Amino acid sequence: MEIKVVLKNNTGFKWYSKNGIFVKGFAFHKNENFYEKEELVNLFDNINSLDNFEKILKNLNGSYAIIIQKKNKLFSAVDRLRSIPLFYSQDGDYLSITDTIEFNSQTIDENTPEYYEFLLSGYTINESTLSKEFKQIQSSEIIMFNDNQLSRKQYFKHTHQDYLSVDYKSYYDDLNCITDNFTKRLIHSVGEKTIVLPLSGGYDSRYILAALKRHNFTNVICYTYGNSKSFEVSIAKQVAYTLGYKIHIIEYTEEKWSKLLDNDKFIEYVNYSFNYSSLPHIQDFIALEELTTKKLIPSDSVIVPGFCGDLLGGSYIPIEIKENKVNQLLNINLAEYIQKKHFSNLLMRIPEKIKNNLLIKIRKNIICKDINNLEEFISLNESFFTEHKVSKFVVNALRPYEFFGFEWRMPLWDNELMEYWYKVPYKHRMDNKLYNDFLFDDLFQDYKIDIKKSKPISHNKFILSIRRLLPKFLYSIFQKAYHGFLNIIKDKDVNNFGEFGSSINKDLQTSTINANNINGLFAVWLLSRILDKK
């Protein structure tokens, strides 16, 4: 039996090793003692069983990847969000585990569910990758290789349960306490380094910045990007100035987007972050290249984005509930609902065999049982979303930070905060009510940054009424037309993405790809680069 560990990625966080133990990242143990580098290695020095390994992992709060090789036995795990990905390949009594699947090292089969998954969502689900050879360790998963047998176990599940029943003010008290706790952990983990915060016009990044202000943490530089006249940039500037933090505004022009595909560094980044499993995140690349080239941020900065706090707060609760379609929702096959909602980047016909295989893979991931109430439906839907789109596509937005040499943190996915929101009943999370109320009442108003953002199109009352009245195919046509109208009158393309889409079509020498968003179009371009070189 042979086990081979191949670790090539030392950008951002670095690998540390001793006596067959390899670790990357950081963690608090029981939310108290902080471990990183050699100290994190030592934490796993006496692991000799799966139970022992799992017990430690359940008490870790952080972002990490771990490999433990002891003679003919191997344990490996990633954190709850798979923020540092690992991949493995097994061939009989041979196991290889790595942090990198080299670009163009694998062939892609266009007749597999994985090919369609990637095109439609930007990621592959469960342990699959686009490679026949490699699989991926999933969020909060342990793999163990022993006696030529490979087994997998999930040590944490992103389900909602044990719901709280307290008065509204008590939620505020709890969230204030948890916010203070995760902010203290963030500050402790960063030490003397500068926090660089990508600040948007939304609430998640503003939440982190206000929490840092409340703790008098001053070593912060913000940046924002896009169309300089957009509401996103305008609000970000106002928030940063009001709180007294420096902010860099990176203008995203059509010219910059049009040149991106000819940028060798961008192509290098795409190759670095793809790993045959997740679509590379493109939004921050231009900003980071400019920030580093012009030396606007320290080289040892820690980048702290506000990823998906609104998901915990309820932004992905099914819109059908607002449309008074609860009975219809509970009668829907959950796997089919997930496929429809989460695999829609392109408008394309899926072969029936592929569609059935995709549904089987989705069912494998969710808890297969009758769904009797809304809390259960919402929980399973959000669990799938978190364990797939968030842990694969969204966290791949960390890769550009690493590519430019920076560490990162994700404070809005601190264990304590995450676990609390998993106990909040959906009635308080509809329209992000509790999340937004808490932020505005107990944070934003105190610092005079209580600036409302515009509601997304799906939450517009006029659009909701139209959606109820029109057949699906007519509503789809109306929605596209309405989006186009808003782009004209309100300059909704805040990042000037349209020009990047034009560049992709030009490079592909086609304008016929029916994409619902830039991610679908980018996925077609990326896979075509590999398929054209078969």
Side-chain angles (χ1 to χ4, degrees):
M1 185 166 91
E2 182 181 357
I3 298 173
K4 187 176 182 180
V5 179
V6 181
L7 303 174
K8 299 181 179 180
N9 185 357
N10 269 305
T11 57
F13 293 103
K14 300 187 186 314
W15 284 102
Y16 290 83
S17 64
K18 183 184 74 173
N19 299 330
I21 303 170
F22 307 83
V23 302
K24 189 177 188 179
F26 68 94
F28 288 87
H29 186 255
K30 296 183 178 179
N31 286 336
E32 296 173 358
N33 297 324
F34 179 66
Y35 295 89
E36 63 175 348
K37 302 177 181 178
E38 293 87 354
E39 291 180 345
L40 188 58
V41 175
N42 295 335
L43 186 63
F44 295 94
D45 202 27
N46 296 314
I47 298 299
N48 50 32
S49 70
L50 180 62
D51 289 344
N52 190 283
F53 190 31
E54 182 180 10
K55 183 177 179 180
I56 292 180
L57 292 172
K58 285 183 173 180
N59 286 308
L60 291 187
N61 184 1
S63 299
Y64 51 82
I66 302 153
I67 301 168
I68 302 171
Q69 182 180 2
K70 294 197 171 183
K71 295 183 180 179
N72 294 328
K73 185 184 293 187
L74 180 137
F75 303 97
S76 185
V78 293
D79 60 60
R80 294 183 180 188
L81 279 188
R82 183 191 163 273
S83 62
I84 300 172
L86 288 174
F87 308 91
Y88 60 93
S89 173
Q90 182 185 9
D91 184 8
D93 60 356
Y94 174 82
L95 179 79
S96 173
I97 187 163
T98 183
D99 59 355
T100 304
I101 305 178
E102 297 286 353
F103 192 83
N104 263 336
S105 66
Q106 308 294 308
T107 57
I108 291 178
D109 187 348
E110 297 171 76
N111 299 306
T112 61
E114 291 76 23
Y115 175 79
Y116 284 87
E117 290 164 20
F118 191 87
L119 285 177
L120 294 168
S121 68
Y123 53 90
T124 55
I125 64 174
N126 299 337
E127 72 275 13
S128 302
T129 70
L130 285 161
S131 162
K132 291 182 179 179
E133 180 181 349
F134 285 96
K135 298 185 183 302
Q136 59 186 315
I137 301 181
Q138 299 180 79
S139 63
S140 20
E141 186 176 56
I142 303 169
I143 67 163
M144 183 175 72
F145 191 64
N146 188 26
D147 295 329
N148 295 345
Q149 297 293 317
L150 188 139
S151 57
R152 303 196 305 269
K153 184 175 184 180
Q154 198 169 19
Y155 62 87
F156 179 83
K157 189 73 177 173
H158 289 270
T159 50
H160 298 239
Q161 55 193 332
D162 302 327
Y163 296 103
L164 300 167
S165 180
V166 298
D167 63 86
Y168 210 63
K169 181 62 169 62
S170 294
Y171 288 116
Y172 279 33
D173 295 340
D174 293 343
L175 287 168
N176 267 309
C177 179
I178 294 169
T179 297
D180 284 341
N181 290 343
F182 81 64
T183 306
K184 289 174 184 176
R185 283 191 283 270
L186 169 62
I187 292 171
H188 180 87
S189 75
V190 169
E192 299 298 317
K193 297 175 182 176
T194 300
I195 285 179
V196 173
L197 196 144
L199 187 61
S200 72
Y203 304 153
D204 295 343
S205 54
R206 198 187 312 177
Y207 180 8
I208 298 169
L209 195 63
L212 289 169
K213 181 69 175 180
R214 188 157 77 177
H215 283 260
N216 299 311
F217 188 84
T218 58
N219 194 13
V220 179
I221 299 173
C222 302
Y223 73 88
T224 192
Y225 53 79
N227 184 330
S228 61
K229 297 178 181 178
S230 72
F231 69 94
E232 290 276 1
V233 171
S234 175
I235 293 175
K237 285 167 58 178
Q238 187 174 346
V239 168
Y241 293 157
T242 301
L243 293 179
Y245 291 115
K246 185 176 184 179
I247 185 168
H248 297 294
I249 294 95
I250 311 299
E251 176 78 11
Y252 273 23
T253 64
E254 292 183 354
E255 182 183 11
K256 288 179 181 179
W257 281 119
S258 67
K259 293 180 178 179
L260 201 57
L261 293 183
D262 296 322
N263 183 335
D264 290 340
K265 194 165 189 176
F266 176 71
I267 300 303
E268 182 186 347
Y269 158 69
V270 169
N271 297 350
Y272 162 79
S273 58
F274 171 45
N275 281 312
Y276 288 80
S277 56
S278 303
L279 190 68
H281 174 85
I282 57 176
Q283 281 186 218
D284 278 70
F285 181 87
I286 293 173
L288 288 164
E289 185 174 42
E290 194 163 322
L291 289 167
T292 53
T293 301
K294 295 181 178 180
K295 298 182 179 180
L296 298 175
I297 55 178
S299 59
D300 65 345
S301 297
V302 178
I303 301 184
V304 183
F307 289 161
C308 288
D310 64 319
L311 166 61
L312 294 175
S315 60
Y316 287 89
I317 290 176
I319 195 170
E320 288 85 354
I321 298 174
K322 288 190 69 173
E323 297 174 339
N324 298 317
K325 296 179 180 178
V326 172
N327 290 335
Q328 296 95 313
L329 193 66
L330 292 177
N331 287 323
I332 293 174
N333 179 288
L334 180 57
E336 292 179 356
Y337 180 86
I338 287 172
Q339 183 187 29
K340 176 184 175 183
K341 293 292 184 178
H342 303 321
F343 297 84
S344 59
N345 287 351
L346 292 173
L347 291 174
M348 63 187 301
R349 191 188 71 82
I350 308 175
E352 199 63 28
K353 183 179 178 180
I354 296 291
K355 182 178 180 180
N356 291 335
N357 286 338
L358 178 54
L359 286 170
I360 289 170
K361 292 181 70 175
I362 294 172
R363 290 189 190 102
K364 178 183 176 182
N365 184 267
I366 61 178
I367 301 171
C368 296
K369 62 179 180 179
D370 293 334
I371 298 173
N372 300 310
N373 57 67
L374 272 179
E375 291 285 14
E376 199 168 63
F377 188 99
I378 292 167
S379 172
L380 294 175
N381 179 54
E382 289 188 15
S383 173
F384 183 91
F385 187 90
T386 303
E387 293 174 9
H388 289 87
K389 183 165 186 176
V390 174
S391 74
K392 293 168 184 173
F393 175 74
V394 174
V395 300
N396 218 32
L398 300 169
R399 305 289 84 85
Y401 308 148
E402 296 171 353
F403 179 78
F404 285 96
F406 301 109
E407 287 188 9
W408 42 262
R409 302 288 189 271
M410 290 190 292
L412 297 190
W413 285 88
D414 180 276
N415 286 6
E416 188 180 6
L417 184 66
M418 178 201 314
E419 291 169 7
Y420 186 81
W421 279 110
Y422 287 170
K423 296 179 181 179
V424 176
Y426 86 87
K427 67 179 181 180
H428 297 312
R429 298 196 305 124
M430 286 293 299
D431 281 338
N432 291 105
K433 179 171 172 48
L434 175 60
Y435 184 72
N436 293 345
D437 285 353
F438 162 69
L439 292 180
F440 275 80
D441 293 347
D442 276 22
L443 269 175
F444 295 170
Q445 288 181 7
D446 290 347
Y447 293 110
K448 295 181 173 55
I449 54 171
D450 49 334
I451 311 158
K452 297 280 187 179
K453 63 180 181 180
S454 59
K455 283 191 174 183
I457 184 173
S458 59
H459 291 240
N460 184 295
K461 290 182 179 179
F462 167 67
I463 298 302
L464 285 173
S465 63
I466 294 294
R467 181 182 171 120
R468 293 188 193 105
L469 294 172
L470 289 179
K472 289 182 182 178
F473 77 97
L474 286 178
Y475 174 74
S476 178
I477 295 171
F478 167 80
Q479 189 180 36
K480 284 189 175 182
Y482 188 68
H483 270 298
F485 173 68
L486 289 179
N487 285 341
I488 294 171
I489 66 168
K490 289 190 176 181
D491 202 11
K492 283 286 184 176
D493 187 8
V494 296
N495 292 314
N496 285 323
F497 261 151
E499 185 59 34
F500 185 61
S502 298
S503 297
I504 290 174
N505 280 321
K506 183 179 179 181
D507 194 67
L508 290 170
Q509 297 183 335
T510 180
S511 59
T512 59
I513 298 170
N514 205 345
N516 282 326
N517 52 50
I518 195 69
N519 292 324
L521 196 59
F522 189 42
V524 173
W525 176 86
L526 178 60
L527 295 192
S528 73
R529 290 184 63 216
I530 300 171
L531 294 169
D532 288 346
K533 295 179 181 180
K534 287 196 295 186

